[in-house]
């Protein structure tokens, strides 16, 4: 598979006084055409900031401070706003956590979906209308003509998220960025939306970057996953390796905190403590205060990246033991 998106030593900061606070310190990863890539970590680790930076939709005073974001030979970190506008939508679509904030309450759903075709070619009004109804069918919205004429508040939560996905897909992007797309929804609807995203990805041949705080969600949906902690990727691996052979103590802790079939009946183990405030990160490993494997050297300098034979790697001085490859029948 060819590389579609390369995030290369990306740093994102906000000014504070005469300094800059790094929200994201140094993040690198590559997404290949057609693959499903997960970014997982607790709230506050910098996941949203990272993917918003890809299409330069950072909030507040947050700015890219270093690094590159290459998509289709263009460095989006340096691109002009006019170039970004044509890449948003036709190149990269984005779905946010809360469909209500993504939708404009005073415009009909159909108008908002069709709006995504504004920058794309000389389509007639009739063609735009037909494409809009087709996108609504694609995301499984029932009775598209009626829903197109409705306002967001007239739809259920699941329908609104389907509409937000239709907005992201209308211009046929090659990459879909989805930031916690199911977190605001109830459990049954969550599963439907995840199935929809997986199904659309394979039918449309697009790549998907799925951001979530839930490793269970990436298990169902992703080929590879990056585990993010305190503004850095601390482990990356094909999804099977993450579950069978996690190396970073934070990944181990995340795995222990989720209910899985094999652990039914076992208590959940939420990770004690919180990720550090970006303005007050410790000088050594950011996970040190919460880490059961911590030793004195961990607090001196931040651990570098150790590549892994199966692709990916981890950043830790005293990782969990590597198991021999588990044979699969
Ligand atoms: N525009 C902003 N201004 C100030 N701080 C921000 C801004 N955006 C995010 N942050 C801070 O950056 C950190 C990472 O936030 P975020 O990327 O939203 O994490 P996640 O998506 O993993 O929950 C948090 O500490 C958050 O408070
Ligand atoms: S470097 Fe040390 S403190 Fe950090 S995760 Fe690894 S063992 Fe834990
Ligand atoms: Mg977030």
């Amino acid at each position: 598979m060819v590389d579609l998106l390369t995030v290369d030593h990306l740093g994102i900061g906000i000014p504070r006084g005469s300094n800059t606070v790094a929200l994201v310190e140094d993040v690198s990863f590559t997404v290949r055409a057609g693959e499903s890539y997960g970014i997982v970590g607790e709230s506050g680790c910098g996941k949203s900031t990272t993917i918003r930076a890809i299409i330069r939709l950072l909030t507040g005073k947050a700015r890219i401070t270093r690094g590159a974001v290459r998509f289709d030979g263009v460095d989006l970190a340096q691109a002009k706003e006019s170039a970004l506008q044509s890449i948003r939508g036709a190149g990269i679509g984005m779905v946010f956590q809360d469909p209500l904030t993504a939708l404009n309450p005073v415009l009909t759903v159909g108008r908002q979906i069709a709006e995504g075709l504004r920058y794309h070619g000389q389509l007639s009004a009739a063609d735009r209308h037909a494409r809009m109804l087709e996108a609504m069918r694609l995301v499984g919205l029932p009775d598209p003509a009626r829903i197109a004429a409705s306002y967001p508040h007239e739809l259920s939560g699941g329908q609104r998220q389907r509409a937000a996905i239709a907005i992201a897909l209308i211009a046929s992007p090659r990459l879909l960025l989805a930031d916690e797309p199911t977190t605001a929804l109830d459990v049954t609807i969550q599963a439907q939306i995840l199935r929809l995203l997986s199904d659309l990805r394979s039918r449309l041949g697009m790549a998907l970057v799925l951001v979530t705080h839930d490793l269970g969600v990436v298990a169902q949906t992703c080929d590879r996953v990056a585990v993010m902690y305190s503004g850095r990727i601390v482990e990356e691996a094909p999804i099977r390796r993450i579950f069978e052979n996690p190396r970073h103590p934070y990944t181990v802790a995340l795995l222990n905190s989720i209910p899985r079939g094999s652990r039914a009946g076992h208590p959940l183990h939420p990770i004690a403590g919180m990720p550090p405030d970006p303005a007050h990160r410790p000088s050594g490993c950011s996970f040190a205060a919460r880490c059961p494997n911590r030793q004195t050297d961990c607090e001196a300098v931040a651990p570098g990246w150790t590549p892994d034979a199966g692709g990916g790697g981890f950043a830790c001085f005293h990782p969990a033991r590597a198991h021999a490859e588990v044979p699969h029948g």
Side-chain angles (χ1 to χ4, degrees), residues 7-11 24-29 46 50 68 228 231-233:
V7 174
D8 191 8
H9 295 293
L10 183 68
V24 167
E25 286 202 300
D26 182 358
V27 161
S28 298
F29 63 94
T50 301
M228 206 166 165
R232 286 176 183 260
I233 291 176

Side-chain angles (χ1 to χ4, degrees), residues 94 169 191 195 199 223-224 231 259 287 296:
M94 174 106 191
L169 291 182
R195 267 201 306 278
D199 178 47
D223 306 319
R224 288 190 303 139
F287 190 57
T296 41

Side-chain angles (χ1 to χ4, degrees), residues 109-305:
V109 169
R111 179 149 168 215
Q112 294 182 64
I113 296 173
E115 176 78 4
L117 293 170
R118 189 174 37 152
Y119 296 109
H120 309 292
Q122 307 291 319
L123 291 176
S124 66
D127 284 344
R128 278 204 301 275
H129 188 75
R131 290 270 295 266
M132 180 264 288
L133 293 177
E134 186 190 311
M136 293 179 77
R137 276 185 217 104
L138 195 63
V139 299
L141 279 168
D143 195 355
R146 181 180 60 79
I147 289 197
S150 306
Y151 289 88
H153 73 269
E154 297 173 302
L155 272 50
S156 69
Q159 288 174 339
R160 283 197 286 260
Q161 193 56 300
R162 285 175 194 270
I165 295 170
I167 292 174
L169 291 182
I170 184 94
S172 310
R174 276 172 300 144
L175 173 64
L176 185 68
L177 306 175
D179 189 2
E180 308 260 10
T182 61
T183 305
L185 306 171
D186 72 43
V187 176
T188 356
I189 310 293
Q190 278 187 18
Q192 289 171 10
I193 296 290
L194 283 180
R195 267 201 306 278
L196 172 69
L197 287 172
S198 291
D199 178 47
L200 289 169
R201 180 180 70 82
S202 49
R203 277 166 64 192
L204 304 177
M206 20 166 230
L208 172 68
V209 174
L210 180 69
V211 166
T212 171
H213 63 276
D214 184 345
L215 260 177
V217 164
V218 293
Q220 291 170 47
T221 321
C222 300
D223 306 319
R224 288 190 303 139
V225 60
V227 178
M228 206 166 165
Y229 189 76
S230 188
R232 286 176 183 260
I233 291 176
V234 296
E235 181 155 19
E236 186 198 59
I239 190 72
R240 204 179 91 185
R241 209 274 277 151
I242 285 284
F243 277 85
E244 290 176 354
N245 205 348
R247 304 298 311 280
H248 197 285
Y250 181 58
T251 313
V252 174
L254 279 181
L255 281 166
N256 284 335
S257 74
I258 58 166
R260 285 198 285 159
S262 59
R263 295 186 179 167
H266 291 260
L268 281 178
H269 298 288
I271 314 171
M274 306 249 292
D277 177 339
H280 301 104
R281 284 197 186 95
S283 51
C285 173
S286 298
F287 190 57
R290 308 169 79 189
C291 180
N293 295 13
R294 178 187 66 234
Q295 298 189 22
T296 41
D297 56 340
C298 301
E299 286 162 85
V301 284
W305 189 251

Side-chain angles (χ1 to χ4, degrees), residues 4-40:
L4 180 66
L5 173 77
T6 302
V7 174
D8 191 8
H9 295 293
L10 183 68
I12 301 154
I14 42 161
R16 185 158 305 168
S18 53
N19 297 322
T20 300
V21 172
L23 303 180
V24 167
E25 286 202 300
D26 182 358
V27 161
S28 298
F29 63 94
T30 294
V31 181
R32 301 165 191 149
E35 88 165 327
S36 175
Y37 189 87
I39 301 180
V40 70

Side-chain angles (χ1 to χ4, degrees), residues 42-49 97 179-180 211:
E42 291 161 289
S43 178
C45 286
K47 307 180 300 294
S48 298
T49 307
Q97 171 171 343
D179 189 2
E180 308 260 10
V211 166

